[in-house]
Amino acid sequence: MNPLDLNIRHLRAVAAIARSGSITSASRVVNLTQPAITQGIAKIERQLGVPLFERRPAGMEPTEAALMLVPRIEAALRLMDAPHATAAQISAFLAVARSGGYAAAAVATGLSEPSLHRAVGDLSVVIGQSLVERRGKGIVLTSRGIQVARGFRLAEAELRSALAELAMLQGREVGKIVVGAMPLSRARLLPSAVAEFHRRYPGTAIAVVEGSHTELVGPLRDGEIDVIVGALRTARGDDGLISYPLFEDRPVVIGRAGHPLARAVLTPQAMAAYPWITAGRGTPLRAQWEAMFEAVGVPAPDVPIECGAVIMIRQILRESDFLTLLSPDQVAVELEAEWLAKIADAPGDVARTIGFTTRADWRPTPLQKQFLDVLQAQALEIASGV
């Protein structure tokens, strides 16, 4: 079920009734008549397949489903920050924002372009500011449009979580967990965690989105990714994200099998004499590589190839005398097959913290919590050398 199929004013009424215990009080809050609220609640109950209130002489008593639903509704309404916007307007605007234009949004939604234009225009009036603007033959979001889109996406994520929690209340393990996978996590940690979680909860879908931290942090903030796993960045207090360490990874110097340094007396100067392939500047691994040479008092050599894709790095290593700094887990198959070789431990105290990052205000569903528990258990096994 699409969470934006639910009528926003009716959701507001659900929250108001749960807080006040009265349809009369709720009617004043949401500016709907009592019969309209009664009909709206009945419709939502049909859509959700669960009763939300028990009618008693003293008023409306929320059921367990309503008590579970209301905090998500209230969070979604705060994030929307648009009391008079309709679900249809929000859906249309998000479709345009995601597609980058009205024509593509029309294809994605099945709605006509004039309908989308009208809905987005009406939403701009409700918000009181322009949300999109023409740029050449296409459109872009205004600065206000970018803010509104993020709030709507996060609100949609809250309602999606609400639907997943209600399904669990009904004994159904449904829902979807979207994980952002940075390079290191793809080698061992995430594959093990995803496989174990699927074994326990086969009814839950898992989507793994690969990318760098830069590529993944925007979707994380927008609520389109639930959690990012990989090498942690230094968090700022105002960035709205929170990171949790899992274990320390110690990269080693890797080269091809038969590399000249594998048979030589290894010195920092000798390592600096060979070409290196490393991740780009600003990444934790590049910082560790630079610190490795700094620790032994040798200037870091030039880097003729910057690359963070392990599949490309390993092939370049096999066909040249390049060196790199990687976690052994990332090339475990190549090391076992003796295509690549560990040249040496990295000089100095070279380590990076592997963990996961979420939004600071993220409230995981029970299944999402279970996934994090599985992830932490797998990390503990890796840290203990199991």
Side-chain angles (χ1 to χ4, degrees):
M1 178 182 179
N2 184 338
L4 291 178
D5 288 340
L6 299 169
N7 184 290
I8 293 174
R9 293 183 77 183
H10 295 164
L11 289 176
R12 195 182 299 275
V14 169
I17 294 171
R19 296 306 182 194
S20 68
S22 164
I23 291 180
T24 302
S25 297
S27 69
R28 291 192 291 268
V29 172
V30 300
N31 197 27
L32 287 173
T33 66
Q34 294 185 42
I37 289 181
T38 300
Q39 292 174 7
I41 297 302
K43 180 179 178 181
I44 285 184
E45 289 178 328
R46 289 194 300 271
Q47 287 176 296
L48 299 178
V50 292
L52 297 177
F53 298 98
E54 293 180 2
R55 283 71 173 169
R56 299 189 182 279
M60 303 282 281
E61 183 174 335
T63 63
E64 184 180 358
L67 294 175
M68 183 179 290
L69 182 64
V70 165
R72 295 285 187 186
I73 292 175
E74 293 177 334
L77 293 174
R78 285 195 301 271
L79 289 162
M80 288 177 186
D81 193 25
H84 303 295
T86 68
Q89 292 167 349
I90 293 172
S91 294
F93 176 58
L94 287 180
V96 172
R98 286 167 177 149
S99 302
Y102 288 99
V107 172
T109 62
L111 298 173
S112 68
E113 288 189 51
S115 295
L116 291 169
H117 274 281
R118 186 166 52 253
V120 174
D122 290 346
L123 181 62
S124 294
V125 172
V126 168
I127 298 293
Q129 286 181 269
S130 178
L131 302 177
V132 300
E133 62 185 13
R134 289 281 179 189
R135 185 73 58 83
K137 295 183 179 180
I139 64 156
V140 295
L141 300 186
T142 63
S143 58
R144 178 58 174 151
I146 292 171
Q147 294 174 346
V148 169
R150 172 163 289 173
F152 286 168
R153 290 187 187 109
L154 290 171
E156 185 181 24
E158 283 287 345
L159 294 178
R160 190 178 299 112
S161 294
L163 296 178
E165 290 174 338
L166 288 177
M168 285 198 68
L169 186 63
Q170 296 170 298
R172 295 181 288 120
E173 291 177 1
V174 299
K176 185 176 184 179
I177 298 171
V178 184
V179 184
M182 288 193 287
L184 182 59
S185 68
R186 305 170 202 161
R188 182 179 174 190
L189 175 60
L190 260 185
S192 299
V194 168
E196 176 61 21
F197 182 81
H198 178 71
R199 185 187 66 78
R200 298 186 191 181
Y201 305 100
T204 303
I206 302 175
V208 177
V209 181
E210 298 184 31
S212 66
H213 181 269
T214 301
E215 293 167 331
L216 297 173
V217 72
L220 176 68
R221 286 197 172 100
D222 284 349
E224 297 187 336
I225 289 177
D226 298 314
V227 57
I228 294 177
V229 184
L232 297 184
R233 267 54 173 178
T234 301
R236 304 190 309 271
D238 61 349
D239 67 358
L241 304 178
I242 185 167
S243 295
Y244 302 86
L246 292 173
F247 62 91
E248 275 199 343
D249 173 71
R250 294 191 170 273
V252 299
V253 179
I254 302 287
R256 66 174 173 84
H259 192 284
L261 285 186
R263 302 184 299 272
V265 176
L266 194 64
T267 65
Q269 291 80 5
M271 288 196 300
Y274 281 86
W276 285 78
I277 178 171
T278 75
R281 293 187 183 278
T283 61
L285 190 58
R286 179 62 172 264
Q288 293 290 343
W289 178 83
E290 292 168 350
M292 176 180 76
F293 284 100
E294 183 180 351
V296 293
V298 174
D302 291 335
V303 177
I305 302 177
E306 290 187 347
C307 180
V310 174
I311 191 170
M312 188 169 179
I313 291 173
R314 72 188 186 193
Q315 194 61 30
I316 292 173
L317 293 181
R318 289 184 63 187
E319 298 178 6
S320 69
D321 285 339
F322 270 80
L323 297 172
T324 195
L325 189 67
L326 281 179
S327 166
D329 278 345
Q330 292 180 279
V331 286
V333 173
E334 290 79 6
L335 292 173
E336 185 176 351
E338 298 185 349
W339 297 333
L340 300 178
K342 173 185 170 182
I343 303 299
D345 291 321
D349 186 21
V350 176
R352 51 186 170 169
T353 302
I354 309 304
F356 64 91
T357 302
T358 68
R359 298 184 300 280
D361 59 356
W362 183 55
R363 294 181 302 134
T365 66
L367 278 174
Q368 288 167 340
K369 288 179 183 176
Q370 289 296 326
F371 177 79
L372 295 181
D373 288 345
V374 170
L375 183 70
Q376 290 170 310
Q378 295 298 319
L380 186 61
E381 290 187 8
I382 291 174
S384 61
V386 175

